[in-house]
Amino acid sequence: MTHLLIVDDEKHFRTMLVRALKSQGYRATAIDDAYALASAVAIHRPDMVLLDLLFESGTSGLEMCRNLRTWNPVPVIIVSVSSDEATKIQALDAGADDYIVKPFGIEELLARVHAIQRRLARTVTSDTALKIGDLVVELDVPSVTVHGKVTHLTRNEHKLLKALVIAEGQPVSYSALLSHIYGRGADKKGERSAIRVLVKQLRRKLGEDLSNPVYLLTEAGVGYRFNMNPALRAIG
Amino acid sequence: MIVLGCAVLAHPGVTLFCGLLSFLCYDFFLVPPVFTLQVSSPIQLIDPLAFLSVAVVTCIMAERSRRRTIQAAIYREADELRGTLLNLVSHNLRTPLAIVKTALTSVLALNTMPSESRMLLLDANEETDRLNRLISNVLQLSKLDAHAVQIDKDWNSLDEVISIVFRRWPEAIQDKSLTAQFPDDLPLLNFDFALIEAVLTNLTENAFRHGCPPVRINVIVQEAEVWTVVEDRGKGIPPQHRSQLFQPFSTSKASGIGLGLAVCKGLIEAHGGRLWATFDPTRFIFALPLVAYPEETIDDASADR
C-alpha cells in the first residue's frame, strides 16, 4: 500500500486529506511542520511526500525540500495555495517532482501520484522506443510514429520530445528544456518563445488538436509536461 | 542659487522672502545709483518682477515635487499593506475551500452512491470551482484598483491559452458544446499569459452561465489586431443592462455579482487592447495589438529545419 506523508500546518486540511487518501486506499501519515520533515521521512519511510510551502512557524517548505534532496530521493509533491508561476519554478528547482495548487480535486492529486509511481517503476529500462497511446516515440532516432505512420522530426523537435518523454509525466521547466535543446540554462523571456514555436511545430506533427492537446500539455508559465497516460485525461 | 536652495529645502514663504531680498541686494549693489535702493529708470522695475517670478515658479515646482514624493511614499506603503492583506485573504479563503473540494471529490471518486446524491455532490463541486474563480476575480479587481497588477508580457501563443481554458470544461469539450477556431498560422503575441487566461476563462464562464451552449471561441486577425470572439446561443443581454455591462457589480442576473467583466476590461486595457460586446447573438470580443514578433528569437526554433 502506497504510503504518503502529508506536511501541512492547517489542522483541518491535514485531517481531511489523511481521511480522503485512506478512503482511496492509501496509507497516510501527517505532520504539522516541515521542520520535522527529515526525522519524519527517516522514521515513517513514506513512498511520497506532500509538502506545503509556507508554515506559520516561519519554516520554508522549499528549503526543507532542498535539504531533503541532499540525502533522500523520496518523491515530493508541493501542495500550496500559491498559483504563482515563480513559486512553481522554484519548487521544481528545489528538487520537487511536481506541485499541485489548492483547492484541487482528489483525482488530480492521485493522477500526479500515479505519474510519479510510473516513472519510478520504469527507471531501469534500455528501451529505444516508448509506446504512449497512439504514439511510438523513438529515443535514438529523430522520428515518431503517429497512428502507425512514421513522421520525421527535426533535431530540436526530437530533443524537446525526448526531454519531455523521459520526464515521464512530470513538468519540465523552460530552463530545463532550453538547456536540453540548446545546451544553455538561461531562462530569458525571449528564449522561452523559441520553445513555444517548437512546441507548436511538434504538436502538429503529433496530430494534436491545438485547442485541446492530449499528449503535450502546457504548464502555464512553468513549462510543459507529457501526458504518458492519454486514456486518463489532462490534469490541470 | 539661494532661492533655489530655499525652494527645495524650506517653506514657500522663505523662498519668496529670499526672492525679494535678492532683488534688494541687486538693486543696492549693482543698479545705478549704487548703494541706494533708488532706481534711475522705470525699466529697472522689471527686475523685481523677474526676481519675484523666479522665486514663485521655483517655489511652486519644488512644492509639487515634494508632495509627489510624499504621496508616492504613502501609495507604496498602502500597496504593500494591500498586498499583505490580499495574500492573507486569498490564503484564508482558499484553505477552507481546498478542504471542501478535496472532501467532495473524494466521496465522488468512491462511486458508491445513488445517482441522485451523486448529482448533488457534482453540483456542490462545480460551485466550489466557481467560488474559487470568484475569489480570484475579487483579488484581481482589488489589485487592478490599486494599480498593483503586474503585467508580465512575453511572446505567447493564444492557442495555448485556449487549451488551458478548455481544461476547465472537459465535459463541454467532449459533447462539442465548447469549440474553438483559430488560424493555423496565428503568430505569437506579446501578452501576460495568466491574465489573458483569466479573461478568457471569465468570458467563457459567462457564456455558459448567462448564455446558452454551444459556446464558440473564434480567433481572427483584423488588420493590426487579433480578435478573440466568445459567442453563445443564449437569449442575449436585456437592453437595459447593456450600457452598464462593464461596470463593477452590475449584473443582469440576481445570482451574479458582475465582477468578471469589469476585471476583464481592466486587464485587456492594461495590455493596450480593447474589450467590447455586440448583441444578437451575444458576442464578447477582446482585441490585442498585433505586434511583429522579433525575428532573432525564432532563429533557434527554425534553425534546424
Side-chain angles (χ1 to χ4, degrees):
Chain A
M1 193 188 281
T2 309
H3 182 191
L4 302 173
L5 175 68
I6 299 156
V7 191
D8 201 303
D9 60 354
E10 282 288 340
K11 185 172 168 245
H12 296 296
F13 182 78
R14 215 165 52 223
T15 325
M16 179 278 309
L17 195 53
V18 168
R19 220 174 265 153
L21 286 168
K22 282 185 177 164
S23 76
Q24 305 296 318
Y26 289 82
R27 214 178 122 205
T29 312
I31 58 170
D32 63 357
D33 197 325
Y35 191 71
L37 177 61
S39 53
V41 167
I43 295 166
H44 298 292
R45 295 163 169 261
D47 298 304
M48 222 172 281
V49 175
L50 308 180
L51 176 63
D52 194 5
L53 279 184
L54 293 173
F55 292 84
E56 272 176 29
S57 62
T59 314
S60 149
L62 277 183
E63 207 178 309
M64 291 300 137
C65 179
R66 233 172 265 129
N67 289 348
L68 181 67
R69 274 291 158 269
T70 60
W71 64 278
N72 195 307
V74 61
V76 174
I77 300 179
I78 299 289
V79 180
S80 164
V81 284
S82 167
S83 57
D84 180 42
E85 293 159 3
T87 314
K88 290 178 182 173
I89 293 176
Q90 278 172 356
L92 295 181
D93 287 348
D97 296 78
D98 210 336
Y99 56 78
I100 188 162
V101 180
K102 292 179 196 169
F104 54 82
I106 194 81
E107 70 283 1
E108 272 181 74
L109 175 65
L110 296 183
R112 275 151 217 252
V113 170
H114 292 155
I116 292 175
Q117 284 177 322
R118 268 198 309 276
R119 174 172 60 85
L120 293 178
R122 254 198 256 184
T123 318
V124 196
T125 174
S126 54
D127 292 348
T128 55
L130 281 175
K131 187 170 175 348
I132 308 153
D134 295 324
L135 307 177
V136 181
V137 178
E138 298 288 339
L139 294 178
D140 298 334
V141 194
S143 74
V144 61
T145 311
V146 186
H147 291 293
K149 197 177 149 231
V150 180
T151 307
H152 175 74
L153 298 177
T154 68
R155 209 176 59 233
N156 285 350
E157 286 165 1
H158 185 243
K159 280 184 188 170
L160 170 70
L161 181 58
K162 205 170 144 180
L164 289 169
V165 165
I166 286 172
E168 300 254 4
Q170 258 79 78
V172 187
S173 68
Y174 281 106
S175 67
L177 290 174
L178 281 165
S179 84
H180 203 89
I181 298 168
Y182 304 112
R184 55 172 185 253
D187 177 17
K188 279 187 268 162
K189 280 199 179 165
E191 303 196 323
R192 289 183 175 197
S193 54
I195 301 281
R196 291 186 188 120
V197 172
L198 262 184
V199 163
K200 202 163 177 168
Q201 285 168 206
L202 185 55
R203 276 187 176 142
R204 284 208 189 98
K205 290 196 179 173
L206 297 180
E208 296 264 50
D209 169 1
L210 290 186
S211 60
N212 188 28
V214 176
Y215 299 103
L216 211 171
L217 306 179
T218 306
E219 284 292 309
V222 177
Y224 295 89
R225 76 164 85 216
F226 208 83
N227 183 6
M228 304 297 279
N229 196 354
L232 273 177
R233 264 321 309 264
I235 34 184
Chain B
M1 288 301 285
I2 295 169
V3 174
L4 263 181
C6 287
V8 174
L9 299 171
H11 190 267
V14 182
T15 318
L16 288 177
F17 175 72
C18 280
L20 194 63
L21 192 67
S22 51
F23 160 69
L24 291 177
C25 292
Y26 171 77
D27 188 12
F28 192 75
F29 293 112
L30 300 171
V31 178
V34 278
F35 303 123
T36 67
L37 285 176
Q38 289 168 343
V39 286
S40 52
S41 84
I43 288 230
Q44 285 166 345
L45 277 174
I46 295 174
D47 295 345
L49 288 176
F51 274 105
L52 274 177
S53 48
V54 167
V56 169
V57 169
T58 45
C59 187
I60 292 170
M61 283 168 62
E63 190 60 22
R64 271 194 195 158
S65 101
R66 205 170 10 233
R67 272 194 201 148
R68 225 172 282 148
T69 321
I70 295 169
Q71 230 160 24
I74 294 173
Y75 280 145
R76 216 173 22 248
E77 266 176 40
D79 276 353
E80 275 166 20
L81 188 67
R82 205 190 298 256
T84 318
L85 265 175
L86 287 179
N87 281 339
L88 255 174
V89 169
S90 122
H91 187 270
N92 288 343
L93 291 178
R94 284 207 169 108
T95 304
L97 207 54
I99 298 175
V100 175
K101 169 99 185 157
T102 314
L104 278 174
T105 50
S106 302
V107 183
L108 277 166
L110 291 178
N111 233 342
T112 50
M113 71 198 79
S115 69
E116 278 295 308
S117 322
R118 194 177 162 74
M119 291 303 279
L120 286 173
L121 286 186
L122 280 172
D123 284 346
N125 186 35
E126 205 172 289
E127 292 305 298
T128 318
D129 290 341
R130 190 169 153 240
L131 194 51
N132 190 33
R133 281 197 288 273
L134 274 175
I135 293 171
S136 308
N137 270 344
V138 175
L139 291 175
Q140 204 77 271
L141 188 74
S142 39
K143 279 188 193 166
L144 271 180
D145 266 356
H147 301 287
V149 170
Q150 302 254 324
I151 308 276
D152 188 16
K153 283 196 201 168
D154 192 13
W155 294 97
N156 283 299
S157 60
L158 213 47
D159 47 80
E160 288 201 59
V161 177
I162 294 174
S163 76
I164 296 277
V165 172
F166 271 30
R167 280 191 214 165
R168 294 179 197 268
W169 286 276
E171 289 85 14
I173 305 291
Q174 206 88 58
D175 64 20
K176 304 265 183 233
S177 56
L178 176 61
T179 55
Q181 251 188 342
F182 41 85
D184 211 29
D185 55 351
L186 192 67
L188 294 187
L189 297 175
N190 202 16
F191 61 82
D192 183 316
F193 194 100
L195 297 185
I196 297 300
E197 180 199 333
V199 171
L200 193 58
T201 305
N202 258 306
L203 295 182
T204 311
E205 178 164 27
N206 278 348
F208 275 117
R209 291 194 71 82
H210 304 302
C212 196
V215 174
R216 280 208 314 244
I217 298 174
N218 280 320
V219 181
I220 42 177
V221 178
Q222 283 280 356
E223 292 171 10
E225 291 178 326
V226 173
W227 290 15
T228 305
V229 185
V230 182
E231 183 184 321
D232 68 72
R233 291 269 152 233
K235 279 188 228 144
I237 296 155
Q240 66 269 28
H241 291 297
R242 290 178 185 177
S243 62
Q244 297 291 310
L245 215 50
F246 295 100
Q247 298 298 318
F249 304 106
S250 97
T251 175
S252 60
K253 295 261 165 141
S255 62
I257 60 166
L259 268 170
L261 285 174
V263 176
C264 292
K265 194 166 161 56
L267 292 178
I268 294 294
E269 282 170 2
H271 277 83
R274 317 179 277 138
L275 170 64
W276 72 99
T278 62
F279 307 98
D280 309 313
T282 311
R283 288 194 180 106
F284 282 90
I285 304 157
F286 67 86
L288 290 173
L290 180 60
V291 187
Y293 176 53
E295 282 301 320
E296 68 267 27
T297 50
I298 57 169
D299 281 354
D300 281 330
S302 51
D304 67 331
R305 272 181 217 175

